[in-house]
DNA sequence: GTACACCTTGACGTAACGAGAATGTCAACC
DNA sequence: GGTTGACATTCTCGTTACGTCAAGGTGTAC
């Protein structure tokens, strides 16, 4: 079986540019070049590419991969066994990273759903404790306790800031909507900024934003008089204008 | 306490070049510049740097960190969630890679034969591949390419089982919609069941469901001819009927 | 024959700095 | 007061592993 760049690329899930680059640096040369100058790869190159991608996945630089594969002591089987060990180790690290991110997320979630500060005091305390565990020693050593305590109190006050930020965003939407409406151009800069602010505001309520949903909600603002009334409050036609701006913003305008 | 580049760099374990770079891209600007043009950092900057390094540890790009730290704090959450999705995806890929290494080892021992395509499993986003291969034709036929590409990005984080479940749900929606349409009553039991199935289907794409968004999307099905065509395929007026059912289901009907 | 997907070789752009050049500043020592 | 040496500054180029055009040749199907 012979492959052109694109076929091999599709097979291995890499771009044609990548293959060209590998050829350029001498990491993976095609079996032959046909009369029109096309790169033609064979079975040996398929296998070699597989090896290369193994190492690449391990985070080895292409230079390193070249060294490894050029070396005389290159033993496929042994190398693979080592790879497996390294892969397992890497997965462990990745799990650690994920756990960290999730822990951070859990804290944030705690903060967000924390309308009632006292209820989650323990949770917050946990966050502060974790933070101290991570940085506490160094920070206290370097800056002294005073700074730490200040920073801790800042963490506790986060929820209120957040609520205010959301409120502010909502107000900004109305504000820029007014200004944008005055321009009369839903495709204009101000209108698009309004749509963007609206998106930001929405994203607080939705975890996963989609253009379709955004456009759908904008349409709903027009269709549902309760929402329409809200956006039409400052100027008649505000809801329609916002919808048009959002449709353009989301690229859903026909 | 005030710090020059080198002192802060030493404190945080980063190079002076890094600090200058962070200044350059606006990620961390010094508190002030003294008469000789030296960068002078204060406590706030030390705090901020600590935060920056925390996210950097998590593998977030500097651009991502800027987004996280620029906006109101709830943006934090979203960026991290996206980051987590990426990490999870990466781990899934790793798992496949490990399986692949083992298969390759067996292959080398002559136990089994591997198809070329198999050799690269785990290198690419396998689920999407599989999904495309298994359902691609049908789905593309049903929804059109554009919509598929959009939903693929959501599918990235899902297991094959989940993908199958979604597909099944989508089919059920159409099925019950047909039956419900025959009754002619969007408030009826069958129609409400359709709306509920539709909600379930949506929830695969949205983490946070809201009635408003659900109703908005249903309305969009009517307004956007691409979607309307899909729901009207089995019977004319299917999209409108579904919207009415959803409006009743969500209590958004006036 | 012409449309169109494929191939080619440049050449520039990217992230997150590292390295080096050319030059200015500060504090200490002789 | 002059020199030394450790700091600081800006500027520019180099790095990795490609992505992304651009300009043009090739293969094939209608």
């Amino acid at each position: 079986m012979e492959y052109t760049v694109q076929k091999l690329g599709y097979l291995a899930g890499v771009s044609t540019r990548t293959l060209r680059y590998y050829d350029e640096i001498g990491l993976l040369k095609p079996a032959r070049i046909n009369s029109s100058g096309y790169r033609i790869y064979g079975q040996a190159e398929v296998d070699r590419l597989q090896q290369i991608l193994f190492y690449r996945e391990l985070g080895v630089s292409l230079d390193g991969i070249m060294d490894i594969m050029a070396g005389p002591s290159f033993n496929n089987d042994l190398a693979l066994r080592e790879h497996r060990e390294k892969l397992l180790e890497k997965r462990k690290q990745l799990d650690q990273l994920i756990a960290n991110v999730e822990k951070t997320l859990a804290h944030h979630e705690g903060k967000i759903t924390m309308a009632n500060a006292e209820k989650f005091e323990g949770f917050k305390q946990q966050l502060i404790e974790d933070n101290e565990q991570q940085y506490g020693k160094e920070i206290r050593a370097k800056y002294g306790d005073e700074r730490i305590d200040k920073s801790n109190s800042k963490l506790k006050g986060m929820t209120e800031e957040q609520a205010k930020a959301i409120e502010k965003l909502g107000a900004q939407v109305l504000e820029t909507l007014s200004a944008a409406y005055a321009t009369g151009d839903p495709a204009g800069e101000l209108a698009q900024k309004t749509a963007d602010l609206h998106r930001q505001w929405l994203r607080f309520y939705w975890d996963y934003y989609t253009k379709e949903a955004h456009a759908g909600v904008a349409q709903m603002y027009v269709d549902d008089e309760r929402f329409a009334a809200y956006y039409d409050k400052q100027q008649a036609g505000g809801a329609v204008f916002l919808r048009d701006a959002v449709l353009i913003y989301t690229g859903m305008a026909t």
Side-chain angles (χ1 to χ4, degrees), chain A:
Chain A
M1 186 65 145
E2 300 201 316
Y3 305 87
T4 59
V5 265
Q6 195 161 37
K7 291 210 176 129
L8 180 57
Y10 178 76
L11 184 68
V14 301
S15 70
T16 60
R17 178 71 176 88
T18 298
L19 291 175
R20 213 180 65 73
Y21 181 65
Y22 287 177
D23 183 11
E24 188 186 330
I25 65 172
L27 180 57
L28 179 70
K29 284 183 177 156
R32 63 189 180 83
I33 308 265
N34 79 3
S35 58
S36 315
Y38 288 21
R39 292 173 178 80
I40 307 294
Y41 298 88
Q43 186 57 47
E45 286 71 36
V46 172
D47 288 342
R48 187 177 166 89
L49 179 55
Q50 186 199 13
Q51 283 293 326
I52 290 168
L53 295 184
F54 270 136
Y55 285 108
R56 192 181 70 166
E57 198 61 25
L58 289 175
V60 182
S61 72
L62 297 189
D63 238 32
I65 296 175
M66 279 189 66
D67 285 349
I68 289 171
M69 299 186 72
S73 62
F74 178 62
N75 180 319
N76 230 334
D77 246 35
L78 190 70
L80 276 181
R81 268 172 236 285
E82 278 172 15
H83 292 354
R84 195 181 50 177
E85 290 311 305
K86 283 181 189 164
L87 283 175
L88 288 171
E89 198 180 316
K90 199 175 175 190
R91 186 174 61 174
K92 227 186 244 176
Q93 285 175 13
L94 199 57
D95 281 344
Q96 190 84 38
L97 265 186
I98 291 167
N100 263 337
V101 171
E102 257 162 17
K103 205 160 79 176
T104 308
L105 266 175
H107 295 331
H108 286 201
E109 225 160 82
K111 277 190 272 175
I112 285 173
T113 54
M114 205 161 25
N116 174 345
E118 286 189 15
K119 217 171 176 180
F120 292 91
E121 199 59 50
F123 200 34
K124 263 194 272 187
Q125 203 54 50
Q126 170 85 37
L127 169 62
I128 291 162
E129 276 166 20
D130 278 9
N131 200 30
E132 288 230 12
Q133 267 193 333
Q134 247 182 321
Y135 301 116
K137 252 188 266 168
E138 313 152 52
I139 298 180
R140 276 187 196 279
K142 282 172 187 164
Y143 313 104
D145 286 5
E146 187 190 337
R147 207 190 65 76
I148 274 286
D149 293 340
K150 228 187 263 174
S151 159
N152 277 350
S153 64
K154 196 169 139 197
L155 264 177
K156 282 185 189 173
M158 210 74 145
T159 307
E160 206 178 349
E161 276 176 42
Q162 247 171 357
K164 274 183 188 164
I166 293 155
E167 208 176 313
K168 195 178 161 196
L169 250 183
Q172 280 182 333
V173 170
L174 281 183
E175 213 173 287
T176 53
L177 176 62
S178 255
Y181 184 82
T183 70
D185 178 17
E189 198 179 335
L190 262 172
Q192 291 306 297
K193 192 187 170 187
T194 308
D196 189 63
L197 283 167
H198 185 245
R199 176 189 57 79
Q200 288 180 46
W201 179 80
L202 261 185
R203 289 190 84 165
F204 172 70
Y205 297 101
W206 297 351
D207 231 25
Y208 286 147
Y209 169 90
T210 66
K211 287 176 178 180
E212 288 82 0
H214 189 183
V217 167
Q219 178 61 45
M220 183 182 61
Y221 286 173
V222 173
D223 294 331
D224 188 311
E225 56 190 17
R226 291 170 300 178
F227 289 100
Y230 176 66
Y231 286 102
D232 286 344
K233 205 168 49 188
Q234 301 200 23
Q235 56 279 316
V240 168
F241 185 86
L242 177 59
R243 180 204 56 187
D244 291 343
V246 168
L247 286 179
I248 290 161
Y249 178 82
T250 56
M252 305 283 290
T254 42

